[in-house]
Amino acid sequence: MQKDSTAKFFFVIGPCAIESHSFALEIAQQLKDIFAKEELQIIYKSSFDKANRSSGNSFRGVGLDKGLSILAEIKSKFGIPVITDVHEAWQAQPVSEVVDYLQTPAFLCRQSDFISAVASTGKPVNIKKGQFLAPWDMKNVIEKARQAAADAGYPDTQFFVCERGTSFGYGNLVVDMRGLQIMKETTGCPVIFDATHSVQLPGANGDSSGGQREFVPLLARSAMASGAISGIFLEVHPDPDKAPCDGPNMLSFKQLPKLLEELKAIHAAIKAD
């Protein structure tokens, strides 16, 4: 994948967390095959640590060292770019030495030192909009990131802004499709739409979050039809009901081919206008 991913539509996709070495490689192989067949660009996503959990007993992943080793193997073996979340400022540099893209959790988008640390690596960064922010507030986040990158000697660093829903009362998120265009215009960055976390129901299961995965295709199609996005973020799993984290809002592999065909058709129709 080229550093500037705006030229052709792309997907950030993979399971929520790295569950094991064999699981991660099996999923990467399947996704590479699916997306090669569809002639679509892919960035493989999975997390070595899920630090933002409802309960202290929730599954978090395999850890930094093992996770980075697995991601490096996926990148090398399958020839696909990889992205993962960074949760603390000190993680930014070692993670950037392995992955092609960094991603920041939505909850941390206003943590100035954290954003500066990630931006200072010079790697492209997908910055998720906080569930508590208006879309136009992302302009300030991106300005911080750009300044930090420039100060570190990387003035041409590519930043993406990612929509993943906005808090609506207790335990619910909504997506304002106007925000996709607003973020694109106010930040000057390519916009990624996170279709799976946007259907999350935070804390709905008491000790874990719930979700409404049945609405993932609807939101993905709507975001694509807006014409304002450059990529779609999807978390997928062979059996979401058995996933150790975020299962209720992950898409099953069985649903993926049909959705990709629909999104390709919508994208082609938009480009034809």
Side-chain angles (χ1 to χ4, degrees):
M1 164 100 40
Q2 304 262 332
K3 178 183 172 185
D4 182 0
S5 299
T6 59
K8 188 175 181 181
F9 197 82
F10 63 96
F11 288 80
V12 178
I13 190 164
C16 174
I18 300 173
E19 298 178 23
S20 70
H21 175 269
S22 59
F23 173 83
L25 266 68
E26 180 181 346
I27 297 301
Q29 179 68 73
Q30 292 181 43
L31 288 175
K32 180 181 179 180
D33 292 344
I34 291 171
F35 279 80
K37 181 179 179 181
E38 297 290 344
E39 297 184 327
L40 291 169
Q41 296 189 61
I42 177 178
I43 303 172
Y44 181 86
K45 180 270 168 187
S46 202
S47 300
F48 59 82
D49 181 21
K50 300 299 295 183
N52 299 321
R53 301 289 86 192
S54 297
S55 168
N57 296 321
S58 297
F59 176 81
R60 290 184 53 164
V62 298
L64 178 66
D65 292 340
K66 186 174 181 180
L68 290 181
S69 175
I70 292 171
L71 290 171
E73 185 175 350
I74 288 172
K75 178 179 175 180
S76 173
K77 183 173 182 177
F78 301 112
I80 54 178
V82 296
I83 184 172
T84 197
D85 302 288
V86 178
H87 294 277
E88 299 183 59
W90 67 267
Q91 296 175 340
Q93 189 57 44
V95 173
S96 72
E97 293 171 3
V98 174
V99 303
D100 300 280
Y101 300 80
L102 300 173
Q103 181 168 278
T104 62
F107 285 119
L108 300 181
C109 68
R110 290 191 62 176
Q111 298 299 311
S112 298
D113 290 345
F114 172 73
I115 292 296
S116 294
V118 175
S120 296
T121 66
K123 282 293 176 76
V125 186
N126 181 30
I127 302 180
K128 287 196 168 187
K129 178 181 77 66
Q131 302 91 323
F132 45 83
L133 284 187
W136 47 85
D137 290 331
M138 286 299 289
K139 178 182 178 182
N140 294 326
V141 179
I142 291 299
E143 287 178 350
K144 289 181 189 178
R146 285 180 173 144
Q147 186 61 58
D151 289 346
Y154 302 108
D156 297 324
T157 298
Q158 175 72 74
F159 295 104
F160 303 84
V161 288
C162 184
E163 170 63 63
R164 51 89 20 104
T166 301
S167 296
F168 185 71
Y170 296 112
N172 198 8
L173 299 170
V174 296
V175 177
D176 180 357
M177 291 294 168
R178 299 173 300 176
L180 302 174
Q181 184 66 30
I182 291 169
M183 284 201 296
K184 180 179 179 180
E185 293 177 353
T186 57
T187 67
C189 294
V191 177
I192 297 174
F193 178 63
D194 182 343
T196 42
H197 285 103
S198 290
V199 300
Q200 191 178 65
L201 301 175
N205 295 336
D207 60 354
S208 64
S209 292
Q212 297 175 307
R213 74 172 75 100
E214 65 270 23
F215 293 119
V216 169
L218 172 65
L219 290 181
R221 293 192 300 263
S222 300
M224 181 68 87
S226 74
I229 64 173
S230 297
I232 284 184
F233 178 109
L234 291 170
E235 287 191 338
V236 295
H237 197 279
D239 190 351
D241 290 331
K242 294 182 179 178
C245 58
D246 278 4
N249 49 262
M250 276 200 281
L251 207 64
S252 74
F253 269 64
K254 291 184 292 186
Q255 298 170 283
L256 191 54
K258 180 176 184 291
L259 178 58
L260 294 179
E261 288 295 332
E262 293 172 343
L263 295 176
K264 283 174 63 177
I266 295 170
H267 187 244
I270 293 171
K271 292 300 180 183
D273 286 344

